[in-house]
Amino acid sequence: MRCRGAISVFVVVLCVAVAAPEVSARPLTGRGAASATRNTALIAAVNTVRTARLLPQLQVDANLSRAARSHSRDMLVHDYFAHGNFAVRMSRFGVQGRVFAENLAWGSGVMAANATVARWLASPPHRTILLDPTLRRIGVATPIGAFGGFARATLVTADFAG
């Protein structure tokens, strides 16, 4: 959702049921080549959708990426799923802009980028964010760890700014 002044965000929960083996509180992955590949795939999927609708592609923003990574890891470590204090997080990571937005998702196992984007597109508030022409920058995080009773879950944070 477009935001000016007050921050307004929406949540979508994506979940696939599987048997839950032993659970660890520590993230399994979050940095490194696999995480970077998941992040790149998610950004490419978002930009493919935007390009098909003649919208400008989003540029990766390092501050948004750090904010997204921090938030996804915090949710994994503390086992919660919420936007939290989004405005404070944007400020803490030095994100500049007049418009901010965030999409979240989680699912058991490794979530495919195209499936995540398809689910966001099926949700009107998330679709509005993905297709907002005033949003020009993106930062994403897709760490995998124990979450919601699952030994392996992907926790996606996509932060946007314009």
Side-chain angles (χ1 to χ4, degrees), residues 147-160:
F147 184 76
F150 295 95
R152 278 179 61 87
T154 307
L155 210 47
V156 179
T157 299
D159 288 337
F160 304 86

Side-chain angles (χ1 to χ4, degrees), residues 30 35 38-39 42-43 64-73 75 103-105 120 138-144 154-159:
S35 183
R38 288 191 308 275
N39 295 348
L42 183 60
I43 293 166
L64 284 169
S65 297
R66 283 192 293 277
R69 185 171 47 249
S70 173
H71 190 56
S72 279
R73 287 174 179 245
M75 288 189 292
N103 281 349
L104 301 177
W120 283 338
I138 189 171
V140 303
T142 58
I144 296 173
T154 307
L155 210 47
V156 179
T157 299
D159 288 337

Side-chain angles (χ1 to χ4, degrees), residues 97-123:
R98 296 184 315 150
V99 181
F100 304 97
E102 178 172 80
N103 281 349
L104 301 177
W106 80 272
S108 63
V110 178
M111 292 175 59
N114 288 333
T116 301
V117 171
R119 287 183 177 111
W120 283 338
L121 286 171
S123 164

Side-chain angles (χ1 to χ4, degrees), residues 56-67:
Q57 290 195 353
L58 300 171
Q59 301 301 310
V60 176
D61 180 289
N63 291 338
L64 284 169
S65 297
R66 283 192 293 277

